[in-house]
């Protein structure tokens, strides 16, 4: 590796400054906001990745062809000062001070007089003339904390790990140790010992390695680094200063989460063996009957790819009519049962796929730069070529096929097996006329695949919000789709570490996520494990059972007769919580607030909130203490001091914050706690026929025992269309006040949406005896 040793200021620019580096390289610094700067190293022969698709600020999407990497017009680019000295140059904004050291070249970052990040004091930037690898080294303190990097395994704090951003089809991964998995996510949330949090995003589609303290070298002190395998070194650094601020700002940088339909928050089921069966249509029809017989509410069913399979080979956008003789009748039965259908779709065509010659003739496969022929590789049980979503013909074929074979049946798309494991180094994506080697376009393909699916569905039903799913992709997929942690394995260990994966993905900007309840691969879950997984899954944005078992067994709520009542009750609780969940969903899409939150997201000033734990927050008002050990019937739960006081959701018992308590955890229940002052809207009926659209509402209020006040705003709209954009929405503002003698609740409705209920019922915690005073405007309150 060749270090960049010396730098010299070439001059100030309108948006930053330019520096000359060794061997004809340049460093360009862009001051994009008061709290954000960007550092770009430019090779003498120009950028390898001249376009970006991941950065999408100000709520505007990127053109299909990408955005010029040097274009900074979407950013505010505020006024800043430049002070040039003999030993360095200082760029200063209202919130950020960036010092450029000239020899050896490196950067220091300061906010509010505190240095919170710095390149290491020795050589901080290196490149390899032979391989093209680039490295960026930063100083590391042993007290630093690192979060993010997408769907990563292990503890939420990644300090000490070495992790790689490279998408793989990681069936049966180890949720504690495996790496890499499905997503390319070169984004880190860091927090120093002084409590300053900042985001660090490397805008590259090339594979990357993040060493967060695994490597040690006597000559350089403690350090960490990012290694870019074959792209450009272009990173954004933005200060929080809190973790929640960093999470929000990354959502603004790469695009807000899509607000999907409310039904997508309901319970869902799928299983490969049902559609793989030779009598697939009959098996699915039987599934609908079983759901009704066992009184299990269900909002959607995700068709496995078996509807398109012949033997073990999968042929996307085809129907095996031997297994599915009458798809229209099947869809109609699902529709009459209130269950939406989402079908698995894959981006690779096997060489005997009926559409293969047509797509090849259009040049719409990822191809070989050498021969011009499709780049062939292993896919399931055959050889195939991948659709090129950087080619207009590839996008057109995909969208036409989706419309003809699925959307016409009212079936939506689930983007799967889209890691683009094309390992031929000669393979190249069309790049909309500017070819991109596969090593620098592999993550781009699933991003654009998901966008193609999203836009086709939007065109089909322009008045409805889009729901689609993707397994792979880089930052930006959240603009279009839900995602999940992939093909996990059935075990108690997986349940435990999947909890942390969900929190890691949420901190990374994937707010709409979840796991395959019960475990996709491996053994069949026993009754206890299935119950505990359902209890945990009920608090994930994506709540779905999925499975592929060697014996053909299927994870369903009725898998084990003896625990059906418990599982039914927990799925029903999910629907009872829909008003709270949907409000969190809206806030995630509108304000960049994750639904799943580690304790330290809410209680960042509390050191104990950073401890590794099975516990998490669902929004601001529910502390979920999952059970992840066999036979456990009570468990220790830490209640952060920041809430002052906590209330047992089930029993109403009060506990002072800042202590660990032992909470009962019988099989039918896991510990749930709410902070004093919590206001949790739920539905107000045991009738599940309306599923996710049940209109009744009850406000469950949990005042503290002494004086205090709190607020919560319930969000309402029709849950399906885009009319909320035109003002057809309502915000029900709830303000709670209390003292040792009384409780007062004030509610005010804002907005033009006509609420589907005339009154809100108010319910206090069990055992509450203080009188309740109610005041309302625009809505009626009843006790």
């Amino acid at each position: 590796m060749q270090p960049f040793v010396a730098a010299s200021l070439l001059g100030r620019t309108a948006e930053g400054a330019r520096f000359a580096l060794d061997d004809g390289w340049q460093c360009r610094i862009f001051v994009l906001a008061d709290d954000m700067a960007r550092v770009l190293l430019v090779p003498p022969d120009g950028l390898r990745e001249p376009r970006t698709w991941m950065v999408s600020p100000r709520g505007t999407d990127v053109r299909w062809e990408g955005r010029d990497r040097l274009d900074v017009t979407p950013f505010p680019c505020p006024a800043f000062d430049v002070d040039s000295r003999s030993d360095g140059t200082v760029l200063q904004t209202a919130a950020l001070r960036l010092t450029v050291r000239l020899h050896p070249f490196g950067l220091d970052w300061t906010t509010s007089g505190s240095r919170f990040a710095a390149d290491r004091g020795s050589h901080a930037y290196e490149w390899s003339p032979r391989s093209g690898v680039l490295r960026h080294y930063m100083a590391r303190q042993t007290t630093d904390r690192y979060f993010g990097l997408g769907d990563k395994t292990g503890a939420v704090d990644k300090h000490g790990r070495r992790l790689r951003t490279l998408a793989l089809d990681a069936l049966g991964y180890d949720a504690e140790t495996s790496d890499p998995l499905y997503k390319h996510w070169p984004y880190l949330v860091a927090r120093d010992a002084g409590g300053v949090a900042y985001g660090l995003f490397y805008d590259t589609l090339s594979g990357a390695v993040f060493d967060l303290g695994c490597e040690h070298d006597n000559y350089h002190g403690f350090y960490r680094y990012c290694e870019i395998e074959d792209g450009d070194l272009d990173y954004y650094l933005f200060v929080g200063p809190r973790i929640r601020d960093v999470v929000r700002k990354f959502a603004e940088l790469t695009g807000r989460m899509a607000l999907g339909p409310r039904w997508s928050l309901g319970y869902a089921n799928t299983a490969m063996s049902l559609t793989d069966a030779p009598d697939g249509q009959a098996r699915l029809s039987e599934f609908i009957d079983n759901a009704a017989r066992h009184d299990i509410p269900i909002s959607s069913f995700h068709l496995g790819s078996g509807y398109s399979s012949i033997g073990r080979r999968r042929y996307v956008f085809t129907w095996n009519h031997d297994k599915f003789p009458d798809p229209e009748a099947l869809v109609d039965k699902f529709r009459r049962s209130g269950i939406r259908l989402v079908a698995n779709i894959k981006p690779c065509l096997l060489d005997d796929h009926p559409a293969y010659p047509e797509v090849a003739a259009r040049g719409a496969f990822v191809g070989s730069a050498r021969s011009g022929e499709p780049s062939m590789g292993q896919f399931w049980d055959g050889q195939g070529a991948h659709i090129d979503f950087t080619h207009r013909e590839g996008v057109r074929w995909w969208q036409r096929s989706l419309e003809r074979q699925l959307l016409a049946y009212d079936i939506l798309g689930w983007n799967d097996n889209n890691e683009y494991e094309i390992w031929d180094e000669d393979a190249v994506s069309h790049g909309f006329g500017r070819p991109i080697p596969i090593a620098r376009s592999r993550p781009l393909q699933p991003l654009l695949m998901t966008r193609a699916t999203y836009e086709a569905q939007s065109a089909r039903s322009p008045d409805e919000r889009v729901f689609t799913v993707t397994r792979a992709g880089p930052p930006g997929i959240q603009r279009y789709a839900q995602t999940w942690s992939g093909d996990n394995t059935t075990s108690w260990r997986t349940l435990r570490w999947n909890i942390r994966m969900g929190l890691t993905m949420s901190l990374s900007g994937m707010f709409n996520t979840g796991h395959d309840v019960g475990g996709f691969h491996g053994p069949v879950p026993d009754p206890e494990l299935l119950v505990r997984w359902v209890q945990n899954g009920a608090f994930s944005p994506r709540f779905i059972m999925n499975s592929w078992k060697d014996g053909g067994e299927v994870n369903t709520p009725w898998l084990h007769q003896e625990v059906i009542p418990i599982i039914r009750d927990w799925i029903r609780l999910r629907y009872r919580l829909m008003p709270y969940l949907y409000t969190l969903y809206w806030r995630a899409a509108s304000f960049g607030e994750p639904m799943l939150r580690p304790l330290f997201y809410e209680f960042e000033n509390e050191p104990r909130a950073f401890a590794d734990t099975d516990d998490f927050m669902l929004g601001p008002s529910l502390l979920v203490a999952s059970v992840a050990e066999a036979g456990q019937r009570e468990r220790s739960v830490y209640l952060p001091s920041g809430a002052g006081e906590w209330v047992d959701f089930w029993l109403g018992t009060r506990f002072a914050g800042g202590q660990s308590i032992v909470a009962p955890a019988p099989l039918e229940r896991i510990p749930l706690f709410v902070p004093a002052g919590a206001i949790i809207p739920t539905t107000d009926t045991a009738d599940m026929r309306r599923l996710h659209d049940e209109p009744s509402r009850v406000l469950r209020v949990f005042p503290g025992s002494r004086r205090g006040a709190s607020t919560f705003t319930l969000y309402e709209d029709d849950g399906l269309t885009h009319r909320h954009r035109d003002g057809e929405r309502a915000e029900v503002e709830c303000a709670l006040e209390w003292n040792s003698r009384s409780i007062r609740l004030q509610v005010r409705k804002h907005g033009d949406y006509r609420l589907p209920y005339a009154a809100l019922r108010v319910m206090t915690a069990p055992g509450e005896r203080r009188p309740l005073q109610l005041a309302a405007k625009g809505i009626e309150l009843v006790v």
Side-chain angles (χ1 to χ4, degrees):
M1 299 290 286
Q2 181 72 35
F4 295 104
V5 178
S8 59
L9 178 65
L10 291 175
R12 174 176 178 151
T13 64
E15 67 282 343
R18 301 168 75 126
F19 296 84
L21 303 178
D22 303 317
D23 300 316
W25 286 68
Q26 284 191 18
C27 174
R28 295 195 60 175
I29 295 178
F30 302 87
V31 178
L32 301 177
D34 282 332
D35 55 4
M36 177 188 292
R38 174 182 162 207
V39 179
L40 171 64
L41 297 192
V42 182
D45 55 351
L47 296 171
R48 294 180 175 184
E49 300 178 89
R51 292 171 287 175
T52 178
W53 283 264
M54 294 186 286
V55 174
S56 180
R58 294 194 174 182
T60 57
D61 210 342
V62 181
R63 296 171 60 238
W64 271 88
E65 297 82 1
R67 182 168 59 82
D68 185 340
R69 187 172 294 274
L70 298 179
D71 176 18
V72 296
T73 54
F75 295 93
C77 295
F80 62 95
D81 296 324
V82 176
D83 182 12
S84 181
R85 307 167 184 172
S86 60
D87 60 344
T89 300
V90 177
L91 289 79
Q92 179 82 53
T93 72
L96 202 59
R97 178 184 178 93
L98 172 56
T99 302
V100 181
R101 294 181 263 116
L102 300 181
H103 197 289
F105 171 57
L107 282 65
D108 294 342
W109 305 80
T110 303
T111 186
S112 301
S114 172
R115 190 178 83 159
F116 62 90
D119 291 338
R120 75 179 186 185
S122 54
H123 302 143
Y125 298 86
E126 297 177 345
W127 74 292
S128 170
R130 177 182 56 83
S131 65
V133 165
L134 286 155
R135 279 190 189 165
H136 174 211
Y137 295 89
M138 297 188 75
R140 174 179 61 87
Q141 304 299 320
T142 57
T143 49
D144 290 345
R145 300 182 185 275
Y146 306 123
F147 314 105
L149 294 179
D151 55 346
K152 293 305 182 188
T153 59
V156 178
D157 186 352
K158 308 303 181 193
H159 198 140
R161 299 284 302 276
R162 179 185 285 130
L163 300 161
R164 189 180 185 196
T165 62
L166 180 74
L168 298 177
D169 186 342
L171 171 68
Y173 64 84
D174 185 311
E176 181 183 8
T177 62
S178 290
D179 184 70
L181 296 185
Y182 302 89
K183 297 174 183 69
H184 169 94
W185 216 269
Y187 165 62
L188 201 64
V189 181
R191 186 178 188 270
D192 75 350
V196 176
Y198 61 95
L200 187 58
F201 171 54
Y202 292 86
D203 185 9
T204 178
L205 292 167
S206 174
V209 173
F210 287 80
D211 189 302
L212 303 178
C214 186
E215 182 175 297
H216 293 258
D217 187 328
N218 177 59
Y219 297 103
H220 299 284
F222 290 120
Y223 62 86
R224 57 186 167 93
Y225 67 78
C226 172
E227 178 179 285
I228 310 296
E229 295 177 4
D230 188 34
D232 291 314
L233 182 52
D234 183 8
Y235 67 88
Y236 294 72
L237 193 150
F238 45 98
V239 66
R242 298 178 302 168
I243 290 172
R244 63 169 59 236
D245 302 319
V246 175
V247 173
R248 172 180 54 81
K249 290 174 183 180
F250 184 66
E252 293 294 331
L253 179 65
T254 58
R256 292 178 179 172
M257 183 195 88
L259 179 65
R262 185 165 51 222
W263 61 258
S264 66
L265 290 172
Y267 172 72
N269 219 119
T270 182
M272 279 186 62
S273 62
L274 294 179
T275 52
D276 279 355
D279 57 344
Q281 183 161 339
R283 295 287 300 278
L284 291 180
S285 180
E286 182 184 28
F287 175 90
I288 299 171
D289 295 339
N290 280 329
R293 181 165 61 254
H294 294 294
D295 199 17
I296 302 295
I298 178 170
S299 292
S300 63
F301 188 88
H302 296 218
L303 287 174
S305 58
Y307 72 93
S308 67
S309 67
I310 300 175
R312 294 179 62 85
R313 294 165 72 91
R314 316 275 154 161
Y315 300 91
V316 66
F317 298 134
T318 68
W319 283 88
N320 182 329
H321 288 288
D322 292 333
K323 296 194 296 182
F324 293 86
D326 191 354
E328 293 96 334
L330 178 66
V331 172
D332 184 62
K333 185 169 183 178
F334 272 108
R335 184 186 299 112
R336 285 185 281 109
S337 301
I339 302 172
R340 298 297 298 260
L341 280 174
V342 187
N344 186 287
I345 47 180
K346 306 179 187 302
C348 187
L349 271 58
L350 295 175
D351 54 11
D352 60 347
H353 191 291
Y356 186 94
E358 173 195 353
V359 177
R362 294 175 180 270
F365 287 124
V366 174
S368 167
R370 194 170 49 248
S371 68
E373 296 297 316
S375 180
M376 304 298 294
Q378 180 70 31
F379 190 79
W380 284 73
D381 289 272
Q383 291 286 308
H386 285 75
I387 301 296
D388 187 349
F389 288 94
T390 71
H391 195 303
R392 285 291 180 186
E393 288 298 324
V395 175
R396 274 193 282 268
W397 180 85
W398 181 266
Q399 293 182 327
R400 283 197 305 266
S401 301
L402 178 64
E403 165 64 32
R404 183 173 62 251
Q405 295 293 351
L406 292 179
L407 300 183
Y409 293 97
D410 199 27
I411 302 174
L412 305 177
W414 154 26
N415 306 275
D416 196 19
N417 293 109
N418 53 349
E419 291 75 29
Y420 273 71
E421 290 197 44
I422 303 172
W423 306 116
D424 176 8
E425 292 188 353
D426 193 50
V428 63
S429 299
H430 180 262
F432 302 101
R434 298 162 65 187
I436 314 171
I438 193 63
R440 294 200 291 272
S441 57
R442 188 174 288 114
L444 177 60
Q445 293 287 351
L447 175 65
L448 296 183
M449 173 191 179
T450 307
R451 180 174 183 172
T453 301
Y454 177 97
E455 292 186 357
Q457 294 181 181
S458 179
R460 172 75 180 187
S461 304
D463 294 332
E464 288 192 14
R465 298 177 215 168
V466 173
F467 174 76
T468 187
V469 192
T470 185
R471 189 170 74 176
I477 56 172
Q478 75 279 359
R479 304 193 293 257
Y480 317 116
Q482 183 187 79
T483 190
W484 84 107
S485 59
D487 295 340
N488 60 358
T489 302
T490 298
S491 70
W492 287 96
R493 189 164 174 268
T494 299
L495 169 58
R496 164 159 285 152
W497 292 103
N498 268 171
I499 293 170
R500 291 148 177 81
M501 285 183 68
L503 298 174
T504 293
M505 293 168 75
S506 292
L507 292 175
S508 300
M510 288 177 269
F511 304 147
N512 192 356
T513 191
H515 318 286
D516 285 350
V517 170
F520 178 78
H521 188 246
V524 177
D526 64 39
E528 182 185 13
L529 177 55
L530 186 62
V531 165
R532 294 309 196 189
W533 217 312
V534 168
Q535 291 169 338
N536 174 263
F539 300 103
S540 289
R542 175 179 166 91
F543 183 28
I544 183 170
M545 278 194 194
N546 189 14
S547 54
W548 175 44
K549 305 301 181 185
D550 291 338
E553 299 89 351
V554 176
N555 289 350
T556 64
W558 49 89
L559 176 63
H560 298 295
Q561 183 74 27
E562 63 269 36
V563 293
I564 293 175
I566 299 176
I567 291 175
R568 181 193 299 119
D569 286 347
W570 277 88
I571 294 175
R572 288 180 171 184
L573 176 63
R574 168 69 169 216
Y575 284 97
R576 293 290 299 272
L577 287 171
M578 191 62 68
Y580 180 65
L581 284 164
Y582 189 62
T583 297
L584 299 182
Y585 191 49
W586 167 70
R587 291 198 66 85
S590 302
F591 304 108
E593 299 174 1
M595 300 172 70
L596 297 176
R597 307 172 182 184
L599 297 184
F600 59 74
Y601 181 94
E602 291 293 331
F603 306 102
E604 189 171 346
N605 293 330
E606 190 164 346
R608 287 187 66 180
F610 286 89
D612 184 67
T613 177
D614 298 329
D615 305 343
F616 60 91
M617 299 292 296
L618 178 65
S621 302
L622 270 176
L623 192 160
V624 180
S626 294
V627 174
E629 291 183 16
Q632 192 172 42
R633 296 298 181 264
E634 62 179 21
R635 52 153 302 188
S636 177
V637 182
Y638 176 69
L639 303 174
S641 61
E645 191 176 31
W646 292 83
V647 184
D648 186 306
F649 179 83
W650 308 109
L651 305 175
T653 311
R654 298 178 185 278
F655 301 91
Q659 64 169 327
S660 292
I661 65 165
V662 175
L667 183 60
E668 67 273 12
R669 197 171 77 215
I670 62 171
L672 293 178
F673 296 91
V674 297
I679 303 169
I680 300 179
T682 71
T683 63
D684 194 21
T685 178
D687 186 352
M688 292 289 128
R689 287 176 296 177
R690 297 289 296 273
L691 295 173
H692 40 268
D693 292 327
E694 165 56 43
S696 64
R697 298 288 184 268
V698 57
L699 292 178
R700 298 196 59 176
V701 297
F702 298 85
S705 57
R706 297 180 178 84
R707 183 178 301 275
S710 63
T711 61
F712 184 85
T713 299
L714 168 65
Y715 177 78
E716 302 276 18
D717 63 23
D718 65 20
L720 184 64
T721 73
H722 296 297
R723 296 189 189 108
H724 64 287
R725 297 175 179 171
D726 301 320
E728 289 192 35
R729 61 182 184 270
E731 296 177 31
V732 182
E733 182 183 346
C734 308
L736 185 67
E737 298 178 0
W738 66 90
N739 56 40
S740 59
R741 297 181 301 278
S742 64
I743 305 166
R744 176 176 173 81
L745 177 68
Q746 293 181 290
V747 174
R748 181 187 297 265
K749 173 185 177 284
H750 304 276
D752 297 332
Y753 177 64
R754 183 176 179 180
L755 297 173
Y757 47 87
L760 274 170
R761 190 164 73 90
V762 181
M763 178 179 174
T764 55
E768 179 61 65
R769 303 201 190 299
R770 286 171 290 181
L772 177 63
Q773 304 169 17
L774 302 177
K777 184 173 183 180
I779 192 170
E780 182 183 355
L781 296 179
V782 297
V783 178

